[in-house]
Structures are given as structure tokens and as C-alpha cells.
Amino acid sequence: MENGGSRQVTMAELREVQITEEKPLLPGQTPEVAKTHSVETPYGSVTFTVYGTPKPKRPAILTYHDVGLNYKSCFQPLFQFADMQEIIQNFVRVHVDAPGMEEGAPVFPLGYQYPSLDQLADMIPCILQYLNFSTIIGIGVGAGAYVLSRYALTHPDTVEGLVLINIDPNAKGWMDWAAHKLTGLTSSISEMILGHLFSQEELSGNSELIQKYRNIIAHAPNLDNIELYWNSYNNRRDLNFVRGGDTTLKCPVMLVVGDQAPHEDAVVECNSKLDPTQTSFLKMADSGGQPQLTQPGKLTEAFKYFLQGMGYMASSCMTRLSRSRTASLTSAASIDGNRSRSRTLSQSSESGTLSSGPPGHTMEVSC
């Protein structure tokens, strides 16, 4: 890449393609038109897809996917869910593909230096600058959750909220490295990534979902690129979150993990390090390692509640929640200013409820 003023022009360089989202349409719904762009950054080109148009005084929803996936395979079931349409019609959204993960991406040449996760986070300002977006609500999974957290630490004024699924904020320790190396001797890259994405119970059950994603990853034409992203994830630095310290997330955060998921312990530990007045914790039963794929309805309801706590979703949009509970929560939120109250969520597979605040207060979800 050239250096100096000549490369400043690259912020305007882009590849723009209009595509129509392939999904069943709801009655009266028109197809969403997406625009895919690529912009140059100091660490290489990054591709992202924009749906909708900017809404006045509202942030963009920006997503970042996990290793082995791209924005479609990671987020499509969630954003195509019927109740999610109430949300996305009110926000412009930006789906970022990590370099080399977009559909049709060429394989990087041998010896290519793939960006670190910190450098991937440093690409996001280039995206927002090109789009002229000032603030975001981020939704990240796994490696993508780490990238968005790193970005939020360095650009706190541009992040209004974060939904972090399966985040592991810790660098790999020596024991982790040893286990990783031993696994690499007997398992392929695709199998190791599947073990990162899904629980052992899910992999053993070999459901239709597991078969689908095993096939996607094992036969990915850009598997060499995926391995580079995987290596960057395994070489991540510790985010060094400290509750009450300077290194913490300043915005409202919703942590999400499936019960018995591979990253359950890491997310629980992350929750213990963040500001409890700003952090919600949602442990989803019967959702496996990828709740946005297996339980999009329940995650949609939690996301609506999260947005409502930020003052963006009216109670009338809470179509599947207990009306009486939502009304009382809205009243309470209006008193204490929405953003400063403590939110802790947990989910029971038997009762189908989300608990919030003091014991005994529940927000019902029927999925």
C-alpha cells in the first residue's frame, strides 16, 4: 500500500453493488435493497453492506461476525425474523465482513499479514467516516464481539450500546495455547472452528444446523482466509476490563451466551468485570453456541427490551412481551433516565421468561 497524501483519496474509493435480499416477504413488505461497499483502510480493504437509510437522531446498527462465518451466515436468521422487522425499519444497519470473509473474496497470497483484532477495530472509523455516521449500536459474535469491544474502548463517544454474544475478553493463557496446539495435531481447521462456534453436545447431535455449517466451513473457497482470521482471534490481547476502573465499556451492554455454550465461563467472567448499572446478562437455555441462529425470536425480544432501555423503542413495539410488565418498566425507566438503571437478564427454558431487576420481576416472552 502506498503511503502519504496520495492514499487519502482511497477513502472515496469503493465498490458498490446493489443486491436484493432473498427472503420470504411478509404481507405488504417490499424487498430490502442492500448496497455493498469496499473502502481502503491503513490495514487493507474492508467490505460492508448497508440496509436502509439513516434515521434522524438514531444510531446505525453495526454488526461484526465470528470466525468461520460472514455477515449472512452469522446474522441472517436473526435479521430475517418476523419480529425483528419492527426494529430494522427504524434503524439503518451496517453489516461488516472481516477482510477476506465476504462472499466471493479472493484468497490472500501466501505470506499475507492478516490484521490483528485490534487493527480490525481500527478499520471501523474508516467505515463510519465514509458513510458519515456518527454513532452506532454494535452487535458482535465471538471474534466480532471482541472487535466491537476494542473499538468501543478507543472510541467511546461513538458507541451508544453493544450486544456482545459469546465474548471472550481474555488473551489465551499458556494452558489454552497448549490445548489449542494439541487439538491442532488431531483436528482440521474447520473442526476446530466448529468447536469454537458450537457446543460439544450440538456437534455430537449433528443436527441439520450443524451439518449445514460444517459443510459451509469445510468447503469454503476462502478457507485459507478463514484460518488467518482464526489465528488473529487466537492471538488477541487481553481487553483488561476492570469494574470501576478506566478500562471499561462506558455504554449500555447486553452480554449474551447460551447455556453450556463453549464461551459460557468467559462471558460470565466478563459480566463480573463490567459496570453492573450498564450491563445486562442474558444466559439463553436451549440455544447452544449460536443463539442468534437457534433462538432468533428470544434474542429479538431481548434486543427490543435493550433498545427500549436506551429510549429508542416504544412499548407498543414490544409485541410479544407482557404488556403490564413492559408498561411498569417503561414508567420506571422514565423516572431514572433509562440509561443509568441496572439491568440483569437471565432466561429459563421451562418458564420462558426473562428476569429483570429485583427478584420476582419477570418479563414474559413466548417464542
Side-chain angles (χ1 to χ4, degrees):
M1 187 185 309
E2 297 177 13
N3 296 318
S6 63
R7 293 309 296 161
Q8 297 301 314
V9 184
T10 60
M11 286 304 301
E13 294 176 0
L14 62 115
R15 171 175 55 83
E16 182 173 311
V17 181
Q18 288 197 359
I19 60 174
T20 300
E21 186 69 7
E22 297 179 0
K23 63 181 179 180
L25 297 179
L26 301 174
Q29 185 183 1
T30 56
E32 278 195 298
V33 175
K35 290 186 177 181
T36 298
H37 314 270
S38 292
V39 296
E40 285 293 331
T41 78
Y43 306 105
S45 177
V46 62
T47 299
F48 52 96
T49 303
V50 181
Y51 288 82
T53 56
K55 305 300 189 290
K57 299 181 180 180
R58 293 205 171 195
I61 293 175
L62 184 143
T63 71
Y64 214 111
H65 62 86
D66 203 353
V67 176
L69 308 174
N70 57 29
Y71 92 83
K72 286 187 176 180
S73 57
C74 188
F75 291 108
Q76 205 164 56
L78 178 63
F79 283 94
Q80 288 185 355
F81 191 76
D83 283 0
M84 180 61 81
Q85 307 315 304
E86 301 175 34
I87 295 176
I88 62 178
Q89 69 185 359
N90 291 297
F91 294 88
V92 63
R93 67 188 197 271
V94 182
H95 297 290
V96 181
D97 279 316
M101 304 303 127
E102 68 274 12
E103 290 183 346
V107 175
F108 290 121
L110 188 66
Y112 177 81
Q113 184 63 48
Y114 196 81
S116 68
L117 295 196
D118 290 9
Q119 291 170 334
L120 293 181
D122 288 339
M123 291 180 169
I124 294 176
C126 299
I127 297 172
L128 300 185
Q129 180 181 335
Y130 169 73
L131 295 172
N132 198 27
F133 292 170
S134 56
T135 61
I136 64 168
I137 295 172
I139 306 178
V141 181
Y146 180 103
V147 169
L148 291 181
S149 296
R150 177 64 72 185
Y151 171 74
L153 288 175
T154 54
H155 300 82
D157 293 341
T158 67
V159 182
E160 294 197 22
L162 287 174
V163 178
L164 305 175
I165 304 171
N166 297 337
I167 183 171
D168 187 343
N170 302 316
K172 277 187 174 295
W174 287 109
M175 294 298 292
D176 296 320
W177 268 112
H180 178 72
K181 292 296 184 182
L182 287 174
T183 303
L185 295 175
T186 57
S187 301
S188 64
I189 290 295
S190 60
E191 287 300 317
M192 286 195 290
I193 292 174
L194 283 168
H196 161 79
L197 296 174
F198 299 101
S199 68
Q200 286 304 311
E201 182 179 359
E202 289 177 287
L203 294 174
S204 299
N206 200 31
S207 66
E208 185 177 336
L209 178 74
I210 297 300
Q211 293 178 43
K212 173 185 176 181
Y213 280 83
R214 177 176 278 118
N215 183 65
I216 287 174
I217 297 170
H219 298 99
N222 62 336
L223 186 57
D224 288 346
N225 295 357
I226 293 174
E227 184 175 359
L228 294 176
Y229 187 20
W230 174 239
N231 290 339
S232 288
Y233 176 69
N234 288 310
N235 283 290
R236 65 189 180 278
R237 294 193 301 144
D238 199 311
L239 288 174
N240 292 314
F241 289 146
V242 178
R243 176 171 288 185
D246 293 333
T247 307
T248 190
L249 298 174
K250 309 293 186 183
C251 63
V253 178
M254 183 168 74
L255 300 175
V256 182
V257 70
D259 194 21
Q260 304 300 317
H263 307 287
E264 181 180 357
D265 291 343
V267 178
V268 170
E269 181 182 350
C270 182
N271 183 53
S272 72
K273 295 180 177 180
L274 296 179
D275 182 354
T277 68
Q278 291 280 70
T279 306
S280 307
F281 179 42
L282 175 60
K283 184 185 289 187
M284 298 183 66
D286 305 320
S287 66
Q290 299 292 308
Q292 81 283 1
L293 301 179
T294 59
Q295 299 283 3
K298 295 177 183 178
L299 188 54
T300 295
E301 291 305 312
F303 186 41
K304 286 180 184 177
Y305 177 50
F306 180 68
L307 290 172
Q308 186 191 37
M310 297 173 64
Y312 285 119
M313 296 294 290
S315 60
S316 60
C317 294
M318 310 296 282
T319 56
R320 303 176 72 175
L321 301 182
S322 167
R323 294 296 182 182
S324 60
R325 178 60 186 147
T326 301
S328 65
L329 287 173
T330 304
S331 176
S334 66
I335 294 174
D336 65 13
N338 292 330
R339 296 173 186 265
S340 63
R341 60 184 172 82
S342 174
R343 297 176 301 274
T344 303
L345 305 177
S346 63
Q347 182 169 345
S348 162
S349 60
E350 295 181 359
S351 62
T353 63
L354 295 173
S355 66
S356 173
H361 289 181
T362 62
M363 181 174 64
E364 297 179 4
V365 178
S366 58
C367 298

